[in-house]
C-alpha cells in the first residue's frame, strides 16, 4: 500500500484515477491545482504524485520542481493530453519518473505506477552471490557463479568461451581470486595483440643474444605466473608451433626460453579464453585436438548479454555510478524511455558495448538523468541508414492519391492514410520492433504506440 497524490484540474480524471488506485489498495489524496497539491505535500510525505502538466496557475512541470525540492526521492508521473517533445524532455530532466500521454491504457499506467513504487534509493550493484568482479543476477550468471565456487579451489585448467565483450577475463579473475593461489600472480596476455615473431618470447622468455634486439635476459609469462595463474586470452589465435610448446608446458610442467638449452620447471594454472568455436578449428586443422582437451578440463560458456537481458538494469546502475564519478558528473539514473530502448536492443558488442553506451551517455548528458537522445546504439544507426539509402524507398503519397481524389476526400483523410503507410513501412524496416520503428520515424515510443492503436495496426 502506498500514499499517492493525484493532481488534475479535470474532476473526471481525478475521480477515475482515485477509483483505479484505491482498487489497487493505495491511499489516494486528490487536488485540483498545483498550489493545493504543494500545500498537501508540505504537510504529508507521499510515495507518488501523479499530475497533469497543463493546469491553471502552477503547471505540472513547476509542481515537479517544487516537489523535488521538498523530497528529492519522491516519484512523480506527469500526464498530458497535449504531447510535446519539449515537455517530455523537461519532465525527465527535472526528475519525473515517467511522462504519459492521454488517452492511456489502464494496464500501462498500472505498470508504470508499480515500477515507480518499487524504485528505491540505489544500492551497490553487487550480486547477492558475492562476486563483486561480475555484475549479474540472472539465472544464466548464477549457474556460472556456482561453477566458479566448485572449480576455483582445484588446479584444473579452464577454457572460457563466449562472444567478444561478455566478460571472460572477469570470470578468469573470479576463479583466481577464490583459488588456493589467490595471493600469487594472475598474469594475463592477449595472444592476438602480440606479433607472431614476439609471442614465443613473451610466453617463454628469452636469453641474452638469442636474436637481434635481445640485449638482456627476459622473463616470460609462464615464469612470471609461477605458483599462480596464467590467463591466455584469444587462445584460438596461437600458431601451430606455439600450440605445440604450450602443450609441453601443460603435460610436463616445463618450458625452454628462446635461445636457451636448459628447461625450466613451472607450476602454473592455465585459464584460457576464446571467442572462436575451437571444435570447428580442430576439424579445419587450425587447432590441436590434444591441446584442446588439456585446456578444456572445465569449459565455461559466458552467455551474450541478449541472453541475460534481465541483467541490463543492474549493469546500467553500476556503469552510471562508475562514469559519473570518473567524469565528474551527477548523472543519477536513466529515464524509463531510455531503459526501454536498452531492454529491446540486442547488444552485438555485449557488456563492453553497454559500458561504452553508458559512458557516452553520461558524457553527453547535461542533466542528472540520461534521456534516450543521449543513447547512441549501433543498430539504430544501421536502421537509419537503411531507411535513408535502401532500395525500397517509400513514395510520399500512395498511387491513387491524384488531384481529384485529394479534393474529394480532404487533406485530413489523405494525411491519415499517408501516416499509416509510413508507420507500416517503418515497422517492416525495423523487423516489427516498435522501439526501432519509432526511432526511424523520429517519434517517441509512446507516440508511435498511440498512432498504431489509432490506425488499428497490430
Amino acid at each position: 500500500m502506498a500514499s499517492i497524490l493525484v493532481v488534475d484540474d479535470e474532476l473526471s480524471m481525478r475521480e477515475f484515477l482515485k477509483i483505479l488506485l484505491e482498487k489497487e489498495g493505495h491511499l489516494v489524496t486528490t487536488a485540483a491545482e498545483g498550489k493545493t497539491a504543494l500545500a498537501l505535500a508540505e504537510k504529508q510525505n507521499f510515495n507518488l504524485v501523479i499530475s497533469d502538466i497543463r493546469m491553471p496557475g502552477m503547471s505540472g512541470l513547476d509542481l515537479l520542481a517544487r516537489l523535488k525540492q521538498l523530497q528529492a526521492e519522491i516519484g512523480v508521473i506527469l500526464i498530458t493530453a497535449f504531447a510535446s517533445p519539449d515537455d517530455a524532455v523537461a519532465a525527465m530532466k527535472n526528475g519525473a519518473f515517467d511522462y504519459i500521454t492521454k488517452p492511456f491504457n489502464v494496464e500501462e499506467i498500472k505498470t508504470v505506477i508499480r515500477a515507480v513504487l518499487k524504485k528505491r534509493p540505489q544500492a551497490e550493484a553487487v550480486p547477492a552471490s558475492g562476486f563483486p568482479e561480475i555484475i549479474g543476477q540472472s539465472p544464466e550468471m548464477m549457474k556460472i557463479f556456482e561453477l566458479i565456487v566448485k572449480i576455483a579451489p582445484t588446479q584444473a585448467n579452464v577454457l572460457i568461451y563466449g562472444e567478444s565483450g561478455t566478460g571472460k577475463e572477469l570470470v578468469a579473475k573470479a576463479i583466481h581470486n577464490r583459488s588456493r593461489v589467490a595471493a600469487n600472480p594472475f598474469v594475463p596476455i592477449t595472444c592476438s595483440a602480440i606479433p607472431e615473431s614476439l609471442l614465443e618470447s613473451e610466453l617463454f622468455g628469452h636469453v641474452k643474444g638469442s636474436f637481434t634486439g635481445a640485449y638482456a635476459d627476459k622473463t616470460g609469462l609462464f615464469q612470471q605466473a609461477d605458483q599462480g595463474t596464467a590467463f591466455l586470452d584469444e587462445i584460438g589465435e596461437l600458431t601451430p608451433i606455439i600450440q605445440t610448446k604450450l602443450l609441453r608446458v601443460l603435460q610436463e610442467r616445463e618450458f625452454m626460453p628462446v635461445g636457451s638449452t636448459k628447461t625450466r620447471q613451472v607450476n602454473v594454472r592455465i585459464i584460457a579464453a576464446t571467442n572462436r568455436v575451437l571444435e570447428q578449428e580442430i576439424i579445419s586443422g587450425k587447432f590441436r585436438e590434444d591441446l584442446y582437451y588439456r585446456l578444456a578440463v572445465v569449459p565455461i560458456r559466458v552467455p551474450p548479454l541478449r541472453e541475460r537481458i534481465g541483467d541490463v538494469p543492474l549493469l546500467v546502475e553500476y556503469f552510471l555510478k562508475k562514469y559519473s564519478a570518473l567524469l565528474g558528473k551527477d548523472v543519477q539514473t536513466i529515464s524509463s524511455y531510455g531503459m526501454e530502448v536498452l531492454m529491446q536492443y540486442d547488444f552485438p558488442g555485449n557488456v563492453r558495448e553497454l559500458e561504452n553506451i553508458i559512458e557516452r551517455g553520461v558524457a553527453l548528458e547535461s542533466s542528472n538523468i540520461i534521456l534516450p537522445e543521449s543513447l547512441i546504439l549501433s543498430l539504430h544507426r544501421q536502421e537509419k541508414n537503411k531507411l535513408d539509402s535502401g532500395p525500397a524507398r517509400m513514395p510520399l503519397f500512395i498511387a491513387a492519391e491524384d488531384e481529384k481524389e485529394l479534393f474529394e476526400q480532404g487533406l485530413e483523410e489523405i494525411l491519415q492514410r499517408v501516416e499509416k503507410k509510413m508507420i507500416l513501412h517503418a515497422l517492416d524496416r525495423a523487423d516489427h520492433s516498435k522501439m526501432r520503428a519509432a526511432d526511424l520515424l523520429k517519434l517517441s515510443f509512446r507516440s508511435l504506440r498511440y498512432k498504431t492503436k489509432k490506425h488499428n495496426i497490430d
Side-chain angles (χ1 to χ4, degrees):
M1 181 175 66
S3 178
I4 301 176
L5 174 61
V6 174
V7 191
D8 201 303
D9 57 327
E10 292 184 16
L11 176 61
S12 60
M13 181 56 69
R14 293 199 304 273
E15 291 180 341
F16 165 72
L17 288 172
K18 182 178 174 65
I19 294 169
L20 173 69
L21 295 169
E22 286 180 342
K23 284 184 177 180
E24 293 285 300
H26 302 301
L27 294 175
V28 182
T29 305
T30 63
E33 59 177 7
K35 288 183 178 179
T36 304
L38 188 60
L40 289 168
E42 289 172 345
K43 298 176 182 177
Q44 177 183 350
N45 286 334
F46 292 98
N47 303 112
L48 170 64
V49 176
I50 303 174
S51 175
D52 192 11
I53 288 184
R54 300 194 180 184
M55 299 182 293
M58 181 182 291
S59 71
L61 290 172
D62 292 334
L63 175 62
L64 168 65
R66 297 291 297 276
L67 288 170
K68 286 293 182 179
Q69 290 175 355
L70 286 176
Q71 187 181 342
E73 298 299 326
I74 192 171
V76 180
I77 298 173
L78 295 179
I79 56 176
T80 183
F82 308 95
S84 162
D86 291 338
D87 283 349
V89 171
M92 303 311 289
K93 282 188 174 181
N94 288 325
F97 182 83
D98 216 332
Y99 172 94
I100 300 176
T101 57
K102 302 176 185 176
F104 49 76
N105 181 278
V106 172
E107 290 303 319
E108 173 189 351
I109 195 167
K110 281 183 181 180
T111 301
V112 175
I113 290 169
R114 291 187 194 113
V116 71
L117 292 177
K118 286 181 181 178
K119 191 174 178 65
R120 294 290 183 268
Q122 290 183 344
E124 288 298 319
V126 177
S129 54
F131 283 82
E133 310 97 327
I134 310 169
I135 304 302
Q137 292 180 334
S138 62
E140 295 82 3
M141 295 308 295
M142 296 305 291
K143 290 177 182 177
I144 291 179
F145 297 152
E146 291 173 5
L147 189 55
I148 290 173
V149 171
K150 290 179 181 178
I151 66 171
T154 74
Q155 277 295 101
N157 295 324
V158 180
L159 176 65
I160 305 169
Y161 62 99
E163 296 177 7
S164 294
T166 51
K168 295 186 289 293
E169 185 169 350
L170 294 178
V171 174
K173 286 180 179 177
I175 294 171
H176 173 76
N177 291 340
R178 285 155 186 79
S179 71
R180 296 171 182 170
V181 295
N184 297 333
F186 174 88
V187 184
I189 186 169
T190 303
C191 300
S192 63
I194 302 172
E196 181 181 342
S197 57
L198 299 178
L199 185 56
E200 184 177 359
S201 172
E202 290 294 323
L203 291 174
F204 308 111
H206 63 251
V207 297
K208 179 180 178 180
S210 55
F211 54 86
T212 303
Y215 300 114
D217 291 352
K218 175 182 173 61
T219 301
L221 165 72
F222 287 109
Q223 192 170 344
Q224 294 174 39
D226 192 22
Q227 306 301 320
T229 303
F231 175 62
L232 303 178
D233 197 9
E234 298 186 30
I235 192 76
E237 304 295 330
L238 293 181
T239 63
I241 294 176
I242 302 296
Q243 289 180 38
T244 301
K245 295 193 174 187
L246 177 58
L247 181 62
R248 181 174 181 82
V249 175
L250 292 169
Q251 290 176 332
E252 307 297 335
R253 299 291 177 181
E254 64 180 26
F255 65 94
M256 187 179 294
V258 176
S260 176
T261 58
K262 297 179 180 180
T263 60
R264 297 185 182 178
Q265 299 296 313
V266 67
N267 182 14
V268 62
R269 182 185 198 173
I270 293 179
I271 302 178
T274 182
N275 57 15
R276 294 190 177 192
V277 181
L278 291 186
E279 291 88 342
Q280 293 181 359
E281 301 286 297
I282 292 170
I283 294 172
S284 63
K286 296 179 181 177
F287 202 85
R288 292 183 63 121
E289 186 174 10
D290 48 1
L291 176 59
Y292 171 79
Y293 289 117
R294 285 284 184 177
L295 290 171
V297 176
V298 181
I300 298 179
R301 177 181 180 267
V302 183
L305 189 53
R306 61 182 173 274
E307 291 183 12
R308 57 180 187 110
I309 206 72
D311 285 334
V312 167
L314 199 63
L315 287 160
V316 168
E317 179 182 329
Y318 175 80
F319 292 136
L320 275 175
K321 288 183 177 180
K322 176 181 177 180
Y323 289 105
S324 290
L326 285 175
L327 300 177
K329 304 289 283 289
D330 186 31
V331 182
Q332 300 173 0
T333 187
I334 184 171
S335 71
S336 58
Y337 289 167
M339 185 61 76
E340 202 167 7
V341 169
L342 294 177
M343 294 297 283
Q344 294 198 23
Y345 186 54
D346 64 0
F347 293 101
N350 294 295
V351 179
R352 187 182 294 126
E353 182 182 9
L354 174 59
E355 180 174 6
N356 179 264
I357 289 169
I358 298 302
E359 181 183 7
R360 184 165 52 229
V362 171
L364 294 175
E365 192 53 67
S366 57
S367 67
N368 64 352
I369 182 170
I370 291 185
L371 298 173
E373 53 263 36
S374 296
L375 299 174
I376 303 174
L377 311 184
S378 61
L379 187 57
H380 284 210
R381 291 201 299 270
Q382 293 169 13
E383 292 294 345
K384 286 180 181 177
N385 292 338
K386 285 170 62 179
L387 187 61
D388 292 340
S389 59
R393 187 174 294 276
M394 185 191 67
L396 180 60
F397 290 101
I398 55 178
E401 290 167 1
D402 56 18
E403 184 178 351
K404 180 181 177 182
E405 185 176 0
L406 176 63
F407 289 108
E408 283 179 353
Q409 296 182 0
L411 179 61
E412 187 63 31
E413 185 175 342
I414 293 296
L415 290 176
Q416 292 300 314
R417 293 173 65 184
V418 173
E419 181 180 74
K420 182 176 181 180
K421 188 173 181 67
M422 288 186 69
I423 291 171
L424 289 169
H425 188 74
L427 285 167
D428 182 62
R429 286 282 189 180
D431 296 325
H432 305 287
S433 165
K434 284 186 181 179
M435 184 59 67
R436 279 189 255 158
D439 190 61
L440 294 174
L441 293 167
K442 295 181 174 62
L443 294 173
S444 71
F445 177 74
R446 296 189 184 280
S447 293
L448 178 62
R449 186 161 55 188
Y450 169 75
K451 291 178 185 295
T452 54
K453 288 180 180 178
K454 180 178 70 174
H455 291 298
N456 294 317
I457 297 173
D458 184 1

